[in-house]
Amino acid sequence: EAQVTQNPRYLITVTGKKLTVTCSQNMNHEYMSWYRQDPGLGLRQIYYSMNVEVTDKGDVPEGYKVSRKEKRNFPLILESPSPNQTSLYFCASSQSRVTGELFFGEGSRLTVL
Amino acid sequence: EDQVTQSPEALRLQEGESSSLNCSYTVSGLRGLFWYRQDPGKGPEFLFTLYSAGEEKEKERLKATLTKKESFLHITAPKPEDSATYLCAVQGARRDDKIIFGKGTRLHILP
């Protein structure tokens, strides 16, 4: 089954404690992206990757890092989380950047105390 | 600046009561306009892509249409299982243009 898998689905952490949200897709997609979704603000892009070792900033990259060492994986790293990073995070993938047909993961709800 | 505005923010309908959701957009050359459905606690699920004015796509009780300034998602004789948030997104034709999402319309169908 084609899918995008995120872990963890739910996480409560404290300010400053480094964490990683993993994302893996099994569709051999070139393009992967991270979004955060906040009430009243909609989906905002954090980082994206057009292929292995190619990453770029989205609209709200501050406080986040990413890496793309393998085609299937695109982890999101919060080096020193802060309460304003409390949000619902989605990983998405597509065949290429030129298509808007994104496949989304189930989401990771992060709370930073 | 590229923008996507969806209206209404929320809509409550009786089962069987047809209606339309609106997506107005401003973009420098449209590569594609996309509709997604999002259920509570889930990731968005792709529904349609529209590429040019006049194009229409259908899926079950949903039909998406496109003009040069807006798109409509028409829902005909909706059922309670059509309750969800519907997201509109656009992508410009420039090489690095991102996909920009609207804030969505929360649709609730009452039995």
Side-chain angles (χ1 to χ4, degrees):
Chain A
E1 181 190 353
Q3 57 186 7
V4 177
T5 303
Q6 298 178 224
N7 280 295
R9 295 286 317 280
Y10 303 91
L11 180 63
I12 300 174
T13 189
V14 295
T15 299
K17 187 176 181 182
K18 180 179 178 180
L19 68 92
T20 299
V21 186
T22 64
C23 174
S24 180
Q25 49 93 4
N26 63 359
M27 295 167 280
N28 200 37
H29 283 168
E30 291 187 350
Y31 180 83
M32 296 186 75
S33 182
W34 276 102
Y35 292 86
R36 61 178 288 173
Q37 189 174 41
D38 302 288
L41 296 176
L43 278 165
R44 295 180 292 168
Q45 190 178 50
I46 303 170
Y47 268 96
Y48 65 94
S49 170
M50 303 238 281
N51 215 322
V52 176
E53 301 292 359
V54 181
T55 63
D56 208 347
K57 296 177 181 178
D59 296 315
V60 288
E62 295 77 22
Y64 305 95
K65 284 176 59 176
V66 293
S67 67
R68 187 97 180 268
K69 292 183 170 52
E70 304 166 285
K71 197 171 187 178
R72 64 182 292 129
N73 296 324
F74 189 45
L76 179 69
I77 303 157
L78 285 72
E79 293 270 2
S80 182
S82 61
N84 65 11
Q85 292 178 297
T86 293
S87 187
L88 180 58
Y89 291 87
F90 289 103
C91 179
S93 73
S94 69
Q95 189 62 43
S96 72
R97 179 181 174 80
V98 298
T99 172
E101 185 176 340
L102 294 166
F103 291 80
F104 282 84
E106 292 280 274
S108 297
R109 185 168 292 282
L110 171 65
T111 301
V112 183
L113 301 175
Chain B
E1 183 181 326
D2 296 349
Q3 277 191 323
V4 179
T5 304
Q6 292 188 246
S7 61
E9 286 187 18
L11 183 61
R12 292 166 70 91
L13 299 171
Q14 290 294 136
E15 184 173 359
E17 181 185 0
S18 301
S19 188
S20 297
L21 313 182
N22 177 264
C23 171
S24 298
Y25 65 91
T26 305
V27 68
S28 301
L30 181 69
R31 185 191 299 278
L33 183 142
F34 317 100
W35 283 97
Y36 287 81
R37 169 189 171 130
Q38 185 175 21
D39 293 301
K42 304 272 190 180
E45 178 185 349
F46 172 78
L47 291 173
F48 304 111
T49 304
L50 300 166
Y51 294 104
S52 57
E55 190 174 359
E56 299 182 352
K57 293 273 179 75
E58 284 189 68
K59 181 178 181 179
E60 295 180 359
R61 293 174 293 282
L62 299 176
K63 183 167 88 171
T65 61
L66 181 65
T67 72
K68 289 188 177 180
K69 294 183 178 180
E70 58 191 349
S71 176
F72 292 93
L73 185 65
H74 306 277
I75 181 159
T76 302
K79 299 181 179 182
E81 54 261 43
D82 295 321
S83 298
T85 295
Y86 290 86
L87 301 173
C88 173
V90 297
Q91 185 177 35
R94 292 196 300 261
R95 183 174 177 274
D96 294 329
D97 262 6
K98 303 168 192 162
I99 296 168
I100 300 170
F101 282 85
K103 295 178 182 177
T105 294
R106 293 189 312 278
L107 179 64
H108 187 53
I109 308 299
L110 301 165

